[in-house]
Amino acid sequence: MKRRDLLQSGALVLLLGAQHIARGATILAVRVWPAPDYSRVTIESDTALKVKQFFIANPPRLAVDIEGIDLNPALKELVAKVRSDDPNIAGIRAGQNAPGTVRLVLDLKQPIAPQVFTLTPVAAYQHRLVFDLYPTQVSDPLEALIADRIKDQTRASPSPATPATGDPLGELIAQHTQRPPLKLGGPDSVLNAANAKITSNSVANSDQSTGARGQKGINIFGTDNAPVQSPAVTDRLIIIALDPGHGGEDPGAIGPGGTREKDVVLRLAHRLRDRINATVIKGNTMRAYLTRDADFFVPLHVRVQKARQVQADLFVSLHADAFFTPHPQGASVFALSQGGASSSAARWMAAKENKADLIGGLNVKARDAQVTRALFDMSTTAQINDSLKLGSAMLGEIGRVGKLHKGRVEQASFAVLKAPDIPSVLVEAAFISNPEEEIKLNSEAYQEQLASALMRGIEGYFSKNPPLARNRSV
């Protein structure tokens, strides 16, 4: 080798750093996504990383050895990225465990079921090493909704010990407060009730309707032999599952001004939640349940599972549209299609939204990710018909406050709309790729108008499709 070549090689080592030449992996970014559901740590690199992990139960901590790299400033950033309010991670330590091997130790606040996996490059991301930290003790979302209702009744009633006359929900809550705490996974678990096998003794036993009439065969309040009530007036909790799209690693569409879809739809969900929680329909208290209430990734099938766990009456997924050019504008509402899409645009939109798991980072090897196709094939004609009714009611109200991209409910095979027993719609609030509509999505005034329109659509649906009485065993 010539002397000039040697000098050039030496200069290259000085510029790039010896560890980058020797190890061949560069850390591009590190991210931490805290949430009550789980906390995620992501390490992005230009090449795939090889790791070994060890979990220590007492005190709970996860040790991960990353091979082929040396400790560098990018990895040290992880230490400062852990927030004090992270519900799962107490802190992260990083050190050079051996030549070419960095050890990360994640100190945990509670017992955790960790998942460590890698993701291949997709969209704007290169190789990702992911640590998902799931709490082993999971709170029951349906119990949380009922507890919220207990607080309301306590404030409204001067005598909490005496349930309101003729209020089955009040009687249930009184019984619930006298019972010992439920153990998740046990025979009394609400989650077990939510996943109960569908039986034939449902109050809502019509083959032609779902949703407002409830999940068939699931006992929601009272006893199994409760008398069938009139569909016009009932006494029970109406639960609306709100699904802010994307989140965490998946920003969704990004507007020309840098607005991220995941942020604007979460703000819209919060506004709609406040309206739902303040609404009573024919004596029935309403409660909103969010599939995500912070900035973290939720796989598409988990969004459906969450709605079914709380036995939701309706499922509303919130998104902001985007296209390659800035010209398209207006809101759209979509329902599921068992056959082909209603238009080529609807087919394209479904394909785009269904890629969220790839960008967000789904652990395809996890047991709960191995969702059988049977659930997705169970969607009934009745569920789709009710979804179209809900979508039409919402579309009409949205048209009163903004432009519509299409004047009818479109249909396509959206994965997130495939709950077999819950009327489900996906709302594209506007085209975030349109500069004018991006400004509107960031406007508090327009978000308030849009949330009110969606609420009126929900109320309009229930006015023509009143919820039947059903029982939740708690």
Side-chain angles (χ1 to χ4, degrees):
M1 182 181 287
K2 295 181 180 180
R3 183 172 180 271
R4 179 182 301 172
D5 294 335
L6 287 171
L7 290 173
Q8 289 176 342
S9 298
L12 185 64
V13 171
L14 290 174
L15 286 172
L16 297 181
Q19 71 272 28
H20 293 168
I21 298 298
R23 308 301 173 193
T26 300
I27 304 301
L28 303 175
V30 292
R31 296 178 289 273
V32 180
W33 305 99
D37 288 33
Y38 74 103
S39 292
R40 166 173 286 195
V41 175
T42 304
I43 300 174
E44 187 178 358
S45 58
D46 61 346
T47 59
L49 297 174
K50 185 178 179 181
V51 299
K52 294 179 181 178
Q53 74 246 28
F54 316 89
F55 183 73
I56 301 93
N58 190 21
R61 58 196 186 277
L62 175 67
V64 181
D65 286 345
I66 307 175
E67 301 178 3
I69 62 172
D70 288 328
L71 189 62
N72 55 50
L75 285 175
K76 291 179 180 178
E77 285 182 18
L78 272 176
V79 177
K81 284 185 176 288
V82 177
R83 292 171 14 188
S84 60
D85 61 349
D86 190 309
N88 303 301
I89 304 175
I92 297 178
R93 293 172 280 151
Q96 194 73 46
N97 189 50
T101 301
V102 170
R103 172 166 291 183
L104 298 178
V105 178
L106 286 74
D107 297 306
L108 306 171
K109 293 182 177 179
Q110 58 178 314
I112 290 292
Q115 294 182 12
V116 179
F117 57 98
T118 57
L119 298 168
T120 56
V122 63
Y125 293 121
Q126 296 197 38
H127 293 271
R128 285 176 287 173
L129 171 63
V130 179
F131 314 144
D132 282 351
L133 308 168
Y134 290 90
T136 57
Q137 297 178 352
V138 183
S139 61
D140 190 317
L142 186 52
E143 283 193 343
L145 290 172
I146 293 176
D148 187 44
R149 175 68 170 125
I150 290 174
K151 293 178 182 178
D152 286 352
Q153 281 215 330
T154 301
R155 286 193 295 264
S157 174
S159 178
T162 304
T165 303
D167 182 2
L169 178 60
E171 295 173 6
L172 165 72
I173 292 171
Q175 296 169 10
H176 178 74
T177 54
Q178 295 169 6
R179 291 173 56 185
L182 299 182
K183 295 181 179 180
L184 291 179
D188 293 331
S189 172
V190 174
L191 295 184
N192 286 345
N195 295 318
K197 183 178 179 181
I198 293 174
T199 60
S200 60
N201 61 347
S202 170
V203 173
N205 56 7
S206 167
D207 291 333
Q208 302 303 319
S209 184
T210 58
R213 288 145 180 83
Q215 299 177 31
K216 297 181 177 65
I218 296 180
N219 194 359
I220 306 175
F221 293 131
T223 60
D224 290 336
N225 57 356
V228 176
Q229 298 183 23
S230 165
V233 179
T234 60
D235 291 290
R236 68 173 184 83
L237 195 64
I238 298 176
I239 298 175
I240 312 298
L242 300 181
D243 176 49
H246 309 282
E249 295 278 292
D250 176 18
I254 299 177
T259 303
R260 300 181 300 186
E261 178 183 3
K262 67 175 183 178
D263 298 329
V264 294
V265 297
L266 183 59
R267 293 200 297 269
L268 177 60
H270 286 160
R271 287 182 165 87
L272 183 52
R273 175 191 61 189
D274 294 342
R275 285 161 172 77
I276 291 172
N277 289 347
T279 301
V280 176
I281 293 181
K282 296 185 182 299
N284 301 302
T285 300
M286 297 186 74
R287 281 293 178 269
Y289 170 72
L290 271 63
T291 59
R292 73 173 180 94
D293 198 13
D295 187 11
F296 65 100
F297 166 66
V298 183
L300 296 175
H301 75 277
V302 174
R303 296 170 187 264
V304 177
Q305 288 176 355
K306 284 186 166 192
R308 300 192 78 216
Q309 282 177 350
V310 297
Q311 303 170 25
D313 292 277
L314 300 177
F315 179 91
V316 181
S317 190
L318 301 172
H319 292 258
D321 218 336
F323 199 64
F324 303 111
T325 67
H327 305 299
Q329 58 183 326
S332 304
V333 178
F334 296 88
L336 183 66
S337 170
Q338 284 183 316
S342 58
S343 68
S344 58
R347 185 183 305 109
W348 177 83
M349 182 61 62
K352 181 175 73 75
E353 297 295 355
N354 290 346
K355 290 179 180 177
D357 281 350
L358 295 176
I359 300 172
L362 174 67
N363 182 10
V364 296
K365 295 181 180 179
R367 184 176 62 181
D368 64 350
Q370 308 299 322
V371 182
T372 62
R373 190 174 180 81
L375 172 64
F376 282 178
D377 288 343
M378 284 169 57
S379 296
T380 63
T381 301
Q383 183 260 19
I384 293 176
N385 287 340
D386 283 343
S387 300
L388 290 170
K389 294 175 185 176
L390 172 62
S392 295
M394 300 183 93
L395 195 65
E397 294 297 335
I398 296 172
R400 294 172 55 185
V401 301
K403 294 180 180 179
L404 296 179
H405 185 63
K406 287 289 181 69
R408 62 184 177 87
V409 179
E410 295 267 22
Q411 291 181 261
S413 185
F414 289 87
V416 79
L417 300 182
K418 293 186 176 181
D421 41 14
I422 308 173
S424 305
V425 295
L426 185 146
V427 178
E428 296 282 0
F431 273 86
I432 200 171
S433 53
N434 182 297
E436 294 180 359
E437 296 207 331
E438 180 187 17
I439 293 173
K440 288 175 66 176
L441 286 171
N442 281 312
S443 163
E444 288 191 14
Y446 182 70
Q447 283 231 350
E448 290 288 336
Q449 291 179 338
L450 187 55
S452 295
L454 294 174
M455 186 68 240
R456 290 194 302 269
I458 292 172
E459 291 178 293
Y461 171 79
F462 280 123
S463 70
K464 297 180 180 178
N465 304 271
L468 295 183
R470 60 178 185 166
N471 300 319
R472 279 190 181 94
S473 56
V474 184

